[in-house]
Amino acid sequence: MSRTYEIMYLLDNNAVRAGWNEAKAAATGLVVKHGGKVLSARRWDERKLAYPIKQRRRGTYLLAYCELGPDGIATLRRELDLTENVLRYLILSAEAVPAQELELTLAESQAGFVVPPPPPEDVPDVAEREAQREEEGEMEEIPVGELAEEEA
Amino acid sequence: MRNERHDRGDRFEAPTYEKVKAKESDLDYKNVELLKKCVGGQGQMFSRRRTGLTAQRQRLLKNAIKRARHMGLLSFVD
């Protein structure tokens, strides 16, 4: 019996820069390859990652809803693990596809829809890092001063 | 050594926290803004006492935070 799943992909921005539609097709194509059906797929967001993943500081999220059998999930996971352009993925079972997702997928597939290209990687340069270190240094000094006052 | 605070009759007052208002459908890993309010400055999850959530909702919050961390939406440690 096939079930509905919510799949969130974290795609490499380098792949997205080469073409959003191609990157999306590659990600959703894997579901079809493992015997599934893609119900909706859309760009969720492009953002700075909370921590670097495979030396990437930014990434694009693709949110898809699919129908897939239990055997398909296992093989899909195995293939996603080996796919370089998918930095992370998360597969959850879903009750149904939210109506909003279908609308947004439709909006994205329209001809006039332009997916904004990802901004360049914002690797902090040396000066910025030093400024940050100084800031942290100042923060550490404050509690020391407070302690001294309390003791006095 | 005498406890001065005790002698003055001071009672321990539990700190009060702003409760997190969230429906069950809000406790999702995609709702990053809400999740950020439920973790501390170093990225640690807040306890139930701190969030004021029911046990069921705290569990949903826990799962949501862990999923968001896996996807690079939230940090493990800051």
Side-chain angles (χ1 to χ4, degrees):
Chain A
M1 201 192 87
S2 68
R3 279 179 158 200
T4 309
Y5 293 98
E6 173 187 323
I7 308 180
M8 180 73 97
Y9 299 86
L10 174 56
L11 300 175
D12 191 339
N13 267 352
N14 290 335
V16 175
R17 273 189 206 98
W20 169 246
N21 287 329
E22 286 82 351
K24 187 165 102 172
T28 54
L30 290 176
V31 176
V32 179
K33 188 181 158 191
H34 292 280
K37 201 172 106 188
V38 181
L39 305 172
S40 84
R42 63 151 179 131
R43 192 185 103 118
W44 183 66
D45 203 2
E46 194 286 328
R47 60 168 75 197
K48 189 170 182 290
L49 303 175
Y51 51 91
I53 299 173
K54 285 191 192 168
Q55 285 87 51
R56 305 287 185 274
R57 287 172 184 276
R58 299 191 71 94
T60 304
Y61 292 89
L62 170 68
L63 179 62
Y65 283 85
C66 311
E67 233 170 55
L68 201 61
D71 301 337
I73 286 290
T75 51
L76 176 64
R77 282 183 188 279
R78 216 170 300 138
E79 183 147 7
L80 283 170
D81 283 335
L82 299 171
T83 311
E84 295 268 328
N85 288 336
V86 178
L87 301 177
R88 289 283 161 95
Y89 64 88
L90 181 65
I91 303 176
L92 302 175
S93 60
E95 294 279 306
V97 188
Q100 193 196 2
E101 289 299 319
L102 293 171
E103 280 170 31
L104 289 165
T105 304
L106 197 67
E108 197 177 290
S109 64
Q110 235 105 67
F113 192 91
V114 180
V115 174
E121 296 271 310
D122 46 354
V123 180
D125 57 18
V126 179
E128 201 177 310
R129 248 183 238 168
E130 273 177 13
Q132 213 174 5
R133 210 166 286 161
E134 273 173 28
E135 241 174 65
E136 280 169 11
E138 277 167 26
M139 276 166 70
E140 278 165 17
E141 278 164 24
I142 297 162
V144 174
E146 277 177 359
L147 273 178
E149 275 173 25
E150 274 177 29
E151 279 165 15
Chain B
M1 189 174 168
R2 292 181 69 89
N3 186 333
E4 284 178 30
R5 292 191 77 185
H6 182 78
D7 290 348
R8 270 187 280 140
D10 286 2
R11 288 197 175 181
F12 172 71
E13 251 179 65
T16 53
Y17 303 108
E18 199 185 329
K19 300 282 182 260
V20 175
K21 288 199 178 99
K23 286 182 283 182
E24 274 168 31
S25 56
D26 291 338
L27 295 168
D28 187 81
Y29 72 96
K30 296 192 284 296
N31 199 348
V32 182
E33 289 307 308
L34 174 73
L35 299 184
K36 275 186 183 164
K37 288 180 196 158
C38 304
V39 298
Q42 273 121 38
Q44 78 278 29
M45 290 181 205
F46 283 159
S47 61
R48 263 187 74 200
R49 192 169 93 172
R50 188 106 187 233
T51 58
L53 292 171
T54 63
Q56 284 84 348
R57 289 183 185 188
Q58 181 74 12
R59 188 164 63 237
L60 292 174
L61 174 70
K62 174 195 76 181
N63 287 340
I65 290 174
K66 287 182 176 182
R67 282 169 182 161
R69 282 177 179 167
H70 170 71
M71 291 306 287
L73 296 168
L74 273 185
S75 58
F76 286 88
V77 220
D78 253 338

